[in-house]
Each structure stands twice: as structure tokens, then as C-alpha cells.
Amino acid sequence: SGSVPLTRLLSAQSAQLEGDEKAAERFFTDMLEDPETRFLGLRGLLTQAVKAGKRDRALDLARQAYRLQPKSEWVASTLFELQSASGSWLNASGTNDDMARKRLIERPDADRRRAVIAFELSKEADAAGDADKALKELKTACDLAPDLIPACVALMRRYVGANQHRKAVSLAEKIWAGTPHPDLLEPYLEAKKAPDGIARVKAAEKLSAINPKHAESHLALARAALDAALWGEARKHLKEAGAGDGLEPAA
């Protein structure tokens, strides 16, 4: 009868409320036998497995639940998180693409996830000695999410290492226009071949001019000025960045 699935679910939930996870597991497992309650049973067992930190079991249950209810946002998200946590990046990528197609996730969020996955795949390719694939995945990551700074810094350093300084400079300047970040400065100065104090100041000025009012631009100028022992300039830019002016020259 229609009340049987509800009774089983309530029995499982009651057992959980009483702290009897073993009994709850038995009820959820019984629910797998009936097509009408199979998904609810899987969901209950999956929740238990996640809570208990049984990652392999959770992943298997999540796959089963996803096959039954691919339009369930909760199941799809849980599957994606478990795949990511276990480093199954290609599978996670497939799940993410499915979620985007089914509109279970907004396009910008899906792109951001794709970027993170591409960055992870680039690290794997790097570790496997596949430089071409690593470069391709880094480019994908930076194209999809220019604010994913670790990926973009890695791409800049790869360009510098390959003597493609202009590409590194262009990438940093493009990112700085939208998302200035301190980690971009050092690889940018390397790409600009600015080894000493005044050369670094000039390079920092060029980068900062792209987004002149941003605090990070003033901090970049302050750092370069400090390297060149231009205390007045450093103090001025620290003040502009809202970092105060309590700067003293080194003894």
C-alpha cells in the first residue's frame, strides 16, 4: 500500500533520532528492495556513509542514486563533491557538465568548477611529465576563471620558463584589470625582466596603471619602491592603499 514506503522511512528516521544508526541502516537497506522506496533508501544510506566518512561506499551509493534520479540537485552535488574529494577529476568534470546541461547549477558556477578541475588536471599532467597537457589545462583554467590566481600564476611561470615573456606579461595585465592580486607581481616582474630596484619600480608602475585606484596597485608600487629604497614613494603608496604610513627605513 501507499503507506508502506512512508512507514519504512519514518522507522528509519526514528531510529536515527534515537541514535541507532545500525537499525536505521537496516531500514534503509530494506527500502532498496522496493522500486518505490529504492531512491529514499539510497539517499538515507548515502547520508549515513558521508557522515561516517566512508568515502568509497558514499561514492558508490551516490553513483547509484544519480542513475536513479539524475535531476536531483542534492544527489548530483553530493556526487560531484565526492568525486572531487577523491581526485576523480574527469568524472567530476562529467558530473559538472551534466549539472550545467540540466540547469542544476548556474553557468558561472559550472565554469568556475571546470576551471578548478582543469587546474587539478594540469597538476596531474605535470606530475606525469606531460608538459603539453599541463599547459593546455592551465590555459583552460585561466580562460574560464581569470580570478583563479594560483592557476594563472602557474601559467605565467610556465610562459617565463619557456621564454615566452610577452605572453606572461599580457596574461598578468589582463588579470590585473579585473582582479589585482599580490601573487601576480613577482612573476610579472620576472616576465618584464626587471631584476633591480628602479627597473622593478618602472614595471610595477606599468602594471598598476591598468587599475590605478585599486589598493593592490598601490601595494605593488609600495613593494617595488621598498625594494629600491624609495622610502617616500613606498610610504605614499601604503597610505593610498589604506595601510597607514608607519614605515621606517631599515637600519
Side-chain angles (χ1 to χ4, degrees), residues 102-122:
K102 289 165 186 155
R103 306 199 176 199
L104 297 176
I105 185 172
E106 295 293 327
R107 177 64 60 183
D109 294 333
D111 284 347
R112 175 81 185 180
R113 282 177 168 186
R114 275 197 203 97
V116 171
I117 290 167
F119 185 33
E120 293 299 333
L121 289 172
S122 80

Side-chain angles (χ1 to χ4, degrees), residues 137-167:
E137 295 292 355
L138 277 178
K139 284 180 179 174
T140 298
C142 293
D143 284 345
L144 287 170
D147 61 339
L148 188 59
I149 301 300
C152 297
V153 167
L155 181 55
M156 284 177 69
R157 293 205 179 280
R158 194 165 281 270
Y159 282 146
V160 170
N163 234 14
Q164 295 178 309
H165 293 82
R166 281 187 186 176
K167 284 188 176 180

Side-chain angles (χ1 to χ4, degrees), residues 127-231:
D130 190 342
D132 290 343
K133 180 168 169 52
L135 178 61
K136 184 182 167 206
E137 295 292 355
L138 277 178
K139 284 180 179 174
T140 298
C142 293
D143 284 345
L144 287 170
D147 61 339
L148 188 59
I149 301 300
C152 297
V153 167
L155 181 55
M156 284 177 69
R157 293 205 179 280
R158 194 165 281 270
Y159 282 146
V160 170
N163 234 14
Q164 295 178 309
H165 293 82
R166 281 187 186 176
K167 284 188 176 180
V169 166
S170 172
L171 178 61
E173 290 178 351
K174 179 181 158 193
I175 298 166
W176 201 270
T179 320
H181 192 281
D183 289 354
L184 296 167
L185 182 61
E186 207 50 52
Y188 178 78
L189 295 175
E190 283 175 42
K192 290 290 279 183
K193 300 178 187 172
D196 58 27
I198 297 303
R200 287 166 73 86
V201 169
K202 284 189 172 13
E205 282 171 352
K206 186 168 189 320
L207 184 64
S208 300
I210 294 162
N211 201 333
K213 292 184 179 177
H214 199 285
E216 284 300 340
S217 291
H218 286 293
L219 288 172
L221 287 166
R223 274 194 295 277
L226 276 174
D227 288 345
L230 300 172
W231 306 110

Side-chain angles (χ1 to χ4, degrees), residues 12 14 22 38 40 68-69 71 74 87 100 119 121 133 145-146 154-155 164 166 172 197 202 210 220 235:
S14 296
K22 288 276 184 210
R38 181 166 169 74
L40 291 173
L68 272 184
Q69 295 272 9
K71 290 184 179 175
W74 180 83
F119 185 33
L121 289 172
K133 180 168 169 52
L155 181 55
Q164 295 178 309
R166 281 187 186 176
K202 284 189 172 13
I210 294 162
R235 185 178 286 109

